[in-house]
């Protein structure tokens, strides 16, 4: 795991995302370190939005720290959470590239990649771990980020919304589409919270 993803003191995210008071339904809040003002504003507003709904967004290197191996630390925090919300920010820009470069099989062709963005590998790893634990998983993708792997729409069940930060970074969070998606995910998270509190039943 890269230092700037969950590396504790070296992770600058904690300088602008306040840990909060630590109350509410715990959710795993996954996002790469923003590198521009629009991404920072988006995360700040989204975090406050979640808190206003009674959630406690938790992020390794921001609200939680762990000296263990990264995957073990992620897994431990997953067990303490009732859902996952991941934000796939733009990280790596590909001006011109080629997929399946130099393919030499009859049924596989190379294809061009141009003017696309890649996000962090953790945007695939952490939601996959949450999904395997049965947690409600919602992934948001910044426009331009390549929709592959878990970023393809519908892979985890919920519609994967795409947001644009070229204008007002808060526009999408005010939209009816986002409110409907978040409300559905919120219902799933609260269902997990309710069921986790129930004892096992040996009868119907």
């Amino acid at each position: 795991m890269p230092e700037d993803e969950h590396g504790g003191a070296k992770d600058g995210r904690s300088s602008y995302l306040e840990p909060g008071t630590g109350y509410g339904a715990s959710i795993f809040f996954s996002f790469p370190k923003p590198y521009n003002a629009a991404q920072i504003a988006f995360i700040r507003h989204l975090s406050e939005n979640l808190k206003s709904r009674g959630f406690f967004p938790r992020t390794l290197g921001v609200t939680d720290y762990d000296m263990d191996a990264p995957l073990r630390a992620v897994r431990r925090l997953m067990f303490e959470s009732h859902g996952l919300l991941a934000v796939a920010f733009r990280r790596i820009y590909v001006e011109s590239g080629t997929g399946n470069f130099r393919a030499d099989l009859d049924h596989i062709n190379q294809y061009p990649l141009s003017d696309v963005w890649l996000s962090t590998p953790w945007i695939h790893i952490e939601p996959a771990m949450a999904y395997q634990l049965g947690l409600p998983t919602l992934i948001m993708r910044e426009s331009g980020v390549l929709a592959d792997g878990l970023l393809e729409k519908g892979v985890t069940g919920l519609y994967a919304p795409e947001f644009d930060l070229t204008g007002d970074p808060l526009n999408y969070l005010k939209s009816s589409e986002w409110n409907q998606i978040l409300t559905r995910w919120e219902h799933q998270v609260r269902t997990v919270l309710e069921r986790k509190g129930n004892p096992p039943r040996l009868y119907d």
Side-chain angles (χ1 to χ4, degrees), residues 16-18 27-31 38-59 84-89 138-141 161 163 165 169-174 178-179 181-182 185:
Y16 54 78
L17 180 61
E18 295 298 326
I27 61 162
F28 196 107
F29 191 26
S30 172
F31 60 94
Q39 291 180 348
I40 291 175
F42 187 84
I43 284 297
R44 279 179 173 167
H45 194 79
L46 179 56
S47 177
E48 290 304 316
N49 192 324
L50 292 170
K51 290 176 183 178
S52 71
R53 289 174 175 258
F55 293 119
F56 176 36
R58 301 172 66 183
T59 304
L84 174 140
L85 194 155
V87 181
F89 279 140
L138 176 57
I139 305 174
M140 308 176 67
R141 178 172 60 91
F163 58 93
L165 297 183
L170 307 185
N171 275 343
Y172 184 74
L173 297 180
K174 300 173 184 176
W178 169 243
N179 185 65
I181 293 171
L182 186 60
W185 175 80

Side-chain angles (χ1 to χ4, degrees), residues 7 18 28 44 48 62 69 93 103 125 142 151 157 159 169 182 184:
E18 295 298 326
F28 196 107
R44 279 179 173 167
E48 290 304 316
V62 180
Y93 178 66
I125 296 171
E142 186 176 357
L151 299 183
Y159 170 79
L182 186 60
R184 182 181 174 191

Side-chain angles (χ1 to χ4, degrees), residues 18 35 41 65 73 118 164 180 197:
E18 295 298 326
Y35 69 91
Y65 297 87
L118 305 178
D164 188 356
Q180 292 175 23

